[in-house]
Amino acid sequence: MKPVDAPQRALSFGDHPPLSLPLRFFLSAPLFAALAAGLLAWHGAPALLTRWSPQTLAVTHLMVLGCLSMTMIGALLQLLPVVAGIQVPRAARVGAVVHACLCAGTLVLACAFWQDSPALFRVAMALLPGGLLLFVGVCTVAMWQYHLPGSGAVVAGIRLALAALVLTMTLGGMLASAFAWPGLIQLPLQRLTDLHAMWGMLGWVGLLVIAIAFQVAPMFMLTAPYPCHLTGAYATWMFLLLGAVSLSSGWSGRGALLHTTCAFLLAAGYALFGATTLHLLARRKRPRADPTTLYWCTAMASLLAAIGLWTWPSAASGATQLALGVLLVAGFALSAVCGMLYKIVPFLTWYHLQQLRETNGRKPPSISQIIPERHAQWQFGAHAAGLLLLLAACYQPALARPAAALMCAACLALWLNLGRAVRLYRQSRNAPNQHLSVPHYHE
Amino acid sequence: MERRMSAVLDVGGLEPPEPMVRILEALDTLGPDEQLRVLIDREPVPLYSILQRNGYGHRTTAQQDHRYEVLIWLVPGA
């Protein structure tokens, strides 16, 4: 038994960042997702004919930057202190700046794609890397500190995910420069786009979901801990495979064989994670089909379906490419993010209400009252139906409008559900002090 | 100061914030010469600032089975 004295000296138990810090990220995300879906609904079938159309690119980036990255960055600013005992320096101020850059930059980038405007691309190239590099820099500084002994796997995974984010951003910057200064430099656009998408989805999003899953699944979904072979060097191997696939992507002959092998190993690695998570969810002692569990089952099933689809012989067809995108972005990533939001937002709200109790004496409501499960289940149903319709729309573009409209409604419903927690917190904060005697909680 | 162990509270397998709720409820009845022993699945970092603000001391020890034991007591003069 080792006394864990060091964390108590290293951590400064100063006040946690205010609730507005993570919530501004978590409440913007569903709005961006709704905007993406709304844009898709407006354009309809033409936006789903190919993944190269400007409308598709605008929709995709609204989703991956405005919703997925937004949530993940907000979650990291909150999770690093809670899970790893790491204090992010000036979290509130940094968070505000990062959030503003991410919101503005994403909107500008989406407009840039939509309007094909080199000037807007230049503005986006200033805003997005600025905000993201600030975030990565602050996290890197924070993670050089001591972290709690039990959090090694999570911190290592987060480091790799952040490295992947930097690579994604660099590739994105190179691609944007081709739009911002057309004709200035000749770049292999197709190859860079594929790499950018791969590092973005499998590196930044994928590795971060994996790292967080190791904590979130046992903590919030009460699964058994993940097996050691996943929480050890697995994430590093996946990162190295991503690197190998990237470097070998232009090679021919034996190089192409290496490329294909590494790609298959990468797919197998992700399949292992997806299957293990489903297995852990199925074997819980007290299985409950709460919304988070439903979302994570959907996420893992989508991941496995995407891998299956990728290995299918017709993987090169345009419709399949789109379906892969839908499965990974809306199926895997968005579902995982929604599931997490339904646990993190009520918990954070409860925790800050608990802190308020020390001054106003009001006991916080039970966690299940903060976001009623019924509402969350309905919202999940809309999301699942929208996802299935979107998948069908990849093969039947006529379904694009109804699919996107349903998805938009689902995202707005998510925003409303999460907003309940905010309203509850504001009501409690503004309520007159109750002079209850609460023996151990007065100053 | 030699403290009596008032209770052992095992909050494993509970969904947040249930562990914290149970710990805080148990602390309501903790005497000045007692300490509470909590067994928990992960280090309860959000709890520490609540404990510190309300005049409790704590010591956390990692266990062999990857769980944590947290000892909590009232700091005299708080």
Side-chain angles (χ1 to χ4, degrees), chain B residues 2-71:
Chain B
E2 201 52 50
R3 290 188 180 85
R4 276 188 315 114
M5 200 74 73
S6 75
V8 177
L9 191 61
D10 190 335
V11 290
L14 295 173
E15 200 184 311
E18 197 57 32
M20 212 188 299
V21 169
R22 295 211 187 169
I23 293 170
L24 295 175
E25 276 171 7
L27 289 179
D28 275 345
T29 54
L30 196 71
D33 59 343
E34 293 178 323
Q35 63 180 355
L36 180 67
R37 182 171 175 238
V38 179
L39 296 171
I40 193 167
D41 291 333
R42 57 184 24 78
E43 199 163 346
V45 176
L47 180 66
Y48 293 156
S49 52
I50 298 182
L51 292 179
Q52 198 189 33
R53 271 199 310 274
N54 289 280
Y56 291 93
H58 64 93
R59 193 172 82 229
T60 307
T61 317
Q63 306 279 291
Q64 299 281 6
D65 56 355
H66 307 293
R67 301 183 80 203
Y68 292 85
E69 175 201 66
V70 186
L71 295 171

Side-chain angles (χ1 to χ4, degrees), chain A residues 5-50:
Chain A
D5 291 329
Q8 291 150 34
R9 283 197 293 275
L11 293 172
S12 67
F13 296 122
D15 292 340
H16 274 247
L19 188 59
S20 60
L21 170 64
L23 278 195
R24 75 182 63 200
F25 287 92
F26 297 152
L27 285 172
S28 321
L31 288 179
F32 273 96
L35 184 61
L39 197 61
L40 186 59
W42 191 28
H43 283 296
L48 272 191
L49 284 175
T50 162

Side-chain angles (χ1 to χ4, degrees), chain A residues 176-429:
Chain A
S177 68
F179 287 99
W181 293 281
L184 196 64
I185 322 168
Q186 289 302 330
L187 289 171
L189 287 181
Q190 164 113 21
R191 190 174 159 209
L192 281 178
T193 306
D194 286 339
L195 290 178
H196 171 70
M198 185 185 72
W199 277 104
M201 282 311 300
L202 298 183
W204 163 231
V205 175
L207 287 178
L208 193 60
V209 168
I210 289 174
I212 285 181
F214 296 156
Q215 289 281 324
V216 161
M219 180 157 67
F220 283 120
M221 291 180 274
L222 305 179
T223 64
Y226 274 82
C228 303
H229 59 262
L230 278 183
T231 58
Y234 164 81
T236 311
W237 275 109
M238 298 295 281
F239 189 89
L240 290 173
L241 280 171
L242 280 168
V245 168
S246 307
L247 289 171
S248 60
S249 64
W251 295 354
S252 54
R254 259 193 238 145
L257 184 62
L258 174 70
H259 177 77
T260 313
T261 311
C262 290
F264 268 98
L265 284 174
L266 196 60
Y270 269 101
L272 178 64
F273 168 72
T276 306
T277 307
L278 279 176
H279 178 70
L280 286 173
L281 284 170
R283 288 196 54 205
R284 289 172 301 166
K285 280 190 208 128
R286 278 175 291 169
R288 269 189 70 233
D290 61 311
T292 299
T293 306
L294 292 170
Y295 265 116
W296 272 62
C297 288
T298 307
M300 299 305 135
S302 300
L303 177 62
L304 292 172
I307 293 169
L309 194 62
W310 179 74
T311 53
W312 202 254
S314 70
S317 84
T320 312
Q321 292 278 311
L322 280 167
L324 271 175
V326 167
L327 279 170
L328 284 176
V329 174
F332 170 61
L334 184 59
S335 302
V337 150
C338 289
M340 279 226 318
L341 285 174
Y342 274 124
K343 289 292 182 187
I344 290 187
V345 170
F347 176 79
L348 279 177
T349 309
W350 179 90
Y351 181 72
H352 281 85
L353 285 174
Q354 175 63 44
Q355 286 184 318
L356 275 185
R357 181 189 181 182
E358 295 166 18
T359 46
N360 70 15
R362 295 186 70 171
K363 200 171 164 207
S366 78
I367 197 111
S368 55
Q369 291 173 319
I370 296 180
I371 297 179
E373 194 165 292
R374 226 172 1 101
H375 295 185
Q377 276 168 338
W378 270 105
Q379 193 273 327
F380 167 75
H383 171 94
L387 176 63
L388 286 170
L389 266 180
L390 262 180
L391 271 173
C394 296
Y395 298 94
Q396 280 292 342
L399 290 172
R401 275 219 164 92
L406 185 53
M407 212 50 174
C408 184
C411 296
L412 287 172
L414 174 65
W415 182 71
L416 285 171
N417 284 348
L418 297 179
R420 253 189 78 95
V422 178
R423 281 195 296 280
L424 207 69
Y425 178 76
R426 284 211 186 115
Q427 274 168 14
S428 273
R429 196 183 54 185

